[in-house]
């Protein structure tokens, strides 16, 4: 467990010391509260048809995501029954976790400095995956790139979605913020 009372993540300190000033200069903000900042990071693993065949797959994905995030992930369940996919209502289909504050900054730091360089044939993430409101989403094909996952003890390789929510009003502000955090954009 993190002792958040006496702990400041490296990226949070970088934000306070350098990134705020650069953003204020670049976009001409008159008040520090106008400067965009990270709001939350949401991680999601969808098990899909694997979970339909074997209900233990969602539990396995939950354990892996909890290990990666550093906090307990929740199992997501089907809202409706879909006979064609053999899905029943309330059937576990995936898992998700929302990170905020210190855990969010720690995860982003590990993602950018440790996990992304371990991705095979990695050439950066797309700079076009913004939603128009300053939020950025991308996918990782294998969760094995995180060093917390023991390669020998996993039974399935999962893809995962990463959504970075910011307080930015525009995509340009959000992209500038993430670039200052050293997000490796390819365009």
């Amino acid at each position: 467990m993190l002792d958040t009372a006496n702990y400041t993540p490296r990226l949070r300190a970088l934000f306070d010391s350098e990134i705020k000033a650069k953003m204020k200069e670049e976009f001409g903000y008159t008040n520090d509260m106008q400067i965009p900042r990270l709001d939350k990071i949401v991680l999601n693993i969808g098990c899909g048809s694997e979970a339909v065949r074997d209900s233990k797959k969602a539990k396995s994905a939950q354990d892996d995501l909890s290990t990666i995030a550093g906090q307990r992930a929740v199992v997501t369940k089907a809202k409706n029954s879909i006979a064609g996919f053999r899905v029943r209502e309330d059937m576990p289909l995936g898992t998700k976790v929302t990170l905020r504050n210190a855990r969010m900054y720690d995860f982003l730091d590990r993602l950018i400095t440790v996990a992304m360089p371990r991705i095979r044939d990695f050439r950066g993430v797309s700079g076009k995956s913004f939603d128009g409101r300053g939020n950025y989403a991308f996918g990782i094909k294998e969760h094995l790139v995180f060093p917390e996952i023991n390669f020998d003890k996993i039974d399935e390789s999962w893809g995962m979605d990463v959504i970075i929510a910011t307080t930015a009003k525009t995509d340009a502000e959000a992209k500038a913020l993430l670039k200052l955090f050293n997000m490796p954009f390819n365009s």
Side-chain angles (χ1 to χ4, degrees):
M1 282 284 153
L2 288 174
D3 178 22
T4 56
N6 301 323
Y7 173 70
T8 303
R10 186 182 73 86
L11 287 184
R12 177 59 200 238
L14 179 73
F15 176 75
D16 291 336
S17 65
E18 297 175 22
I19 294 176
K20 272 186 176 181
K22 289 179 182 175
M23 290 291 289
K24 199 170 190 177
E25 179 185 323
E26 184 177 343
F27 291 98
Y29 299 121
T30 57
N31 185 339
D32 279 358
M33 295 306 288
Q34 292 175 312
I35 300 170
R37 61 189 177 283
L38 295 179
D39 186 30
K40 64 184 175 182
I41 295 178
V42 180
L43 307 175
N44 174 45
I45 293 178
C47 302
S49 61
E50 300 292 325
V52 172
R53 281 186 248 123
D54 185 4
S55 61
K56 294 183 184 103
K57 296 287 186 182
K59 176 69 175 135
S60 170
Q62 179 187 22
D63 294 340
D64 288 348
L65 191 59
S66 297
T67 303
I68 291 169
Q71 80 182 36
R72 185 165 169 78
V74 296
V75 173
T76 55
K77 297 182 177 184
K79 292 180 182 177
N80 301 318
S81 297
I82 303 171
F85 293 122
R86 296 188 185 126
V87 173
R88 305 254 187 281
E89 192 173 336
D90 288 333
M91 182 181 279
L93 292 178
T95 182
K96 70 175 182 177
V97 64
T98 302
L99 303 173
R100 296 179 192 271
N101 302 325
R103 282 197 179 103
M104 169 185 63
Y105 285 104
D106 280 335
F107 173 79
L108 187 63
D109 196 7
R110 283 185 292 120
L111 177 72
I112 292 170
T113 59
V114 179
M116 284 185 172
R118 292 176 63 166
I119 296 174
R120 200 174 318 131
D121 297 329
F122 183 68
R123 290 183 175 80
V125 291
S126 173
K128 300 175 184 167
S129 298
F130 288 91
D131 67 350
R133 294 185 187 91
N135 302 314
Y136 183 67
F138 64 96
I140 298 175
K141 288 186 178 147
E142 290 182 335
H143 75 295
L144 302 174
V145 296
F146 290 95
E148 298 87 3
I149 300 298
N150 186 348
F151 188 78
D152 298 330
K153 293 185 179 178
I154 62 141
D155 56 343
E156 186 87 28
S157 176
W158 304 108
M160 69 190 269
D161 302 318
V162 179
I163 297 100
I164 301 173
T166 68
T167 60
K169 300 281 185 258
T170 66
D171 291 346
E173 292 173 338
K175 189 170 185 178
L177 176 66
L178 291 177
K179 272 187 180 176
L180 290 171
F181 278 120
N182 295 323
M183 180 67 80
F185 290 111
N186 61 11
S187 57

